[in-house]
Amino acid sequence: MTSRVLCILLLGLVALQTLGASPAASVFDTVAKEEQAAAAKERNLQRNIADDQVQVRYCTACGYQQNFAQIKTYLEDTFPHLVDRVYGNNYEVDPYKTMLAHFLGYAQATAMILLLFGEYILPAIGMDVAMIRWARDNRIAAFFIVLFMGTAASSLTASGAFEIYFNDDLIFSKLETGRWPTLLEISNSISEYGLLDSVAA
């Protein structure tokens, strides 16, 4: 009985020590994060603003070029030192998806050629033309198969990305938020790096 009581007391003591240590640890973590944020802000204020740049990595297959052009114009008007320093390029998708998309693109082009000239090409290389005849007899089905190849290839490379980086730091991600940024939101995010204070100084 005594040993059980001692075990319970010991477990209670350990639990109390654990609970007591948690707030202290969280306080230290908070202080460390505040110090890191202050150090990062100090580095940003001391940086050479001539090296500032904005990178926008977006989905070219989605037709986001106009959105990039709008943001580029806005940022260069708002922050004059960023003129000709707002860059845009395609957001790279998974290499395997890119490879598969290329394969489907080639397959679609090959299918189109065979549908048009297969009756002449296949016999010349010693292959049966039964598939070509089937496609000719089932034009609607063949058309949708070829169309599906192109649609599938486009969907594989259409990432929907619109990622904005300021000096290699991600300040907005359409992939993470699932929405478009506002122009004010972008300028406020850049201002948090002390850019406006640096320019004013």
Side-chain angles (χ1 to χ4, degrees):
M1 186 69 173
T2 303
S3 60
R4 290 183 180 179
V5 173
L6 290 175
C7 288
I8 293 173
L9 290 175
L10 182 60
L11 290 174
L13 181 61
V14 171
L16 288 174
Q17 289 178 344
T18 303
L19 291 174
S22 297
S26 63
V27 169
F28 287 130
D29 290 342
T30 302
V31 172
K33 289 180 180 178
E34 290 177 353
E35 291 177 350
Q36 291 175 359
K41 183 176 181 180
E42 184 66 23
R43 286 196 303 271
N44 283 319
L45 290 174
Q46 294 177 355
R47 75 186 186 279
N48 184 0
I49 64 172
D51 296 330
D52 287 345
Q53 63 177 353
V54 175
Q55 286 274 354
V56 183
R57 299 171 188 169
Y58 59 92
C59 173
T60 55
C62 303
Y64 291 166
Q65 291 87 342
Q66 185 174 355
N67 303 85
F68 163 70
Q70 180 184 12
I71 289 178
K72 175 180 172 66
T73 301
Y74 172 78
L75 290 178
E76 290 180 346
D77 290 343
T78 305
F79 307 105
H81 82 297
L82 288 177
V83 172
D84 295 329
R85 300 190 66 82
V86 180
Y87 308 103
N89 49 56
N90 183 47
Y91 181 87
E92 298 294 336
V93 298
D94 187 282
Y96 295 105
K97 289 184 178 180
T98 303
M99 186 183 304
L100 182 57
H102 288 163
F103 170 78
L104 289 174
Y106 294 140
Q108 183 186 35
T110 302
M112 291 294 295
I113 294 173
L114 290 177
L115 285 175
L116 295 174
F117 308 107
E119 289 183 340
Y120 307 101
I121 296 175
L122 294 182
I125 59 177
M127 295 185 65
D128 189 13
V129 296
M131 182 62 69
I132 301 301
R133 290 172 181 168
W134 176 89
R136 292 286 180 86
D137 295 336
N138 300 273
R139 295 178 185 273
I140 296 178
F143 170 78
F144 277 108
I145 290 174
V146 174
L147 182 64
F148 171 77
M149 291 180 182
T151 303
S154 298
S155 64
L156 287 171
T157 56
S159 62
F162 200 87
E163 317 300 289
I164 304 176
Y165 295 81
F166 178 71
N167 292 343
D168 297 326
D169 291 340
L170 181 65
I171 61 174
F172 181 85
S173 171
K174 184 174 179 289
L175 292 178
E176 294 179 1
T177 62
R179 61 176 179 82
W180 286 97
T182 64
L183 297 177
L184 181 61
E185 182 179 12
I186 298 172
S187 61
N188 287 342
S189 296
I190 293 178
S191 299
E192 291 178 359
Y193 284 77
L195 180 61
L196 295 182
D197 294 338
S198 299
V199 173

